[in-house]
Amino acid sequence: MAESTGNTGSPEEAVAARIAALEDELATAKQETLYAMAETQNVRRRLEKELADTRAYAATAFARDILSVADNLSRALDAIPAELRDDEKMKGLIAGLEATGKELESTFRKHGVEKFVSVGEALDPNRHQAMVEIPSDAPAGTIVQEMQAGYTIKDRLLRPALVGVARAAD
């Protein structure tokens, strides 16, 4: 009779086979669930990092534009001759300009924008843009003049410093 139905095994074997099939399906479902949870966690981490970066660097374009204002203010202060600095009529204006410059620098620092020092350092193409070679006693490749200050925002370069580099002796 068992041969006529095509089932050659006992009912216990059939139950064991069904249990094994269900265990395989359960293991597969658990594995797929773990993969889905891991992917969800990875997406969450990526989004959190993107959000943190967006917050940290949101002011980049604005800061880059304001740097030219800071440069012009600095050039204006540097251009004031010493005799005008001593003139009583000009002291208020000069003090106001200097206070504006200090406040601008303070605001930059508050938002993670920092000026970096270049003179005396070795040329780093990731932070400096060499504009000229200058004969100097300094080792070749050393920055001896800064034409325009360089800035970073947080840990990223905002603007490279425009520099003059010592030339090797002829």
Side-chain angles (χ1 to χ4, degrees):
M1 194 155 141
E3 289 179 46
S4 64
T5 61
N7 187 358
T8 59
S10 68
E12 293 84 24
E13 289 176 350
V15 169
R18 179 73 178 139
I19 289 173
L22 290 173
E23 286 176 345
D24 286 345
E25 287 180 29
L26 178 62
T28 301
K30 281 183 179 180
Q31 191 66 32
E32 289 174 357
T33 301
L34 287 174
Y35 285 143
M37 289 172 59
E39 181 63 23
T40 301
Q41 187 175 21
N42 289 339
V43 168
R44 186 179 312 122
R45 283 186 191 144
R46 240 187 337 266
L47 289 175
E48 287 171 356
K49 184 183 182 321
E50 287 176 13
L51 181 61
D53 285 350
T54 299
R55 284 184 184 140
Y57 304 110
T60 299
F62 179 71
R64 199 172 278 131
D65 291 343
I66 292 297
L67 288 179
S68 64
V69 174
D71 291 339
N72 288 335
L73 181 60
S74 178
R75 280 192 281 275
L77 284 168
D78 292 342
I80 298 172
E83 61 271 5
L84 283 181
R85 287 185 180 275
D86 295 334
D87 187 352
E88 287 299 318
K89 293 178 183 176
M90 297 297 290
K91 280 189 178 182
L93 174 65
I94 293 169
L97 289 173
E98 288 172 343
T100 302
K102 288 177 185 174
E103 184 67 24
L104 187 58
E105 287 177 17
S106 171
T107 302
F108 279 160
R109 276 193 304 278
K110 183 170 117 181
H111 293 281
V113 177
E114 296 282 336
K115 184 188 296 190
F116 57 86
V117 178
S118 297
V119 175
E121 293 184 359
L123 180 69
D124 178 357
N126 296 314
R127 294 171 46 103
H128 307 115
Q129 183 174 346
M131 302 302 290
V132 295
E133 286 187 325
I134 300 171
S136 173
D137 294 334
T142 302
I143 297 170
V144 293
Q145 181 183 7
E146 183 177 75
M147 290 115 183
Q148 185 176 17
Y151 287 85
T152 58
I153 184 167
K154 307 288 186 219
D155 58 346
R156 291 184 184 172
L157 183 68
L158 184 60
R159 180 180 78 185
L162 303 182
V163 297
V165 181
R167 179 173 52 202
D170 293 330

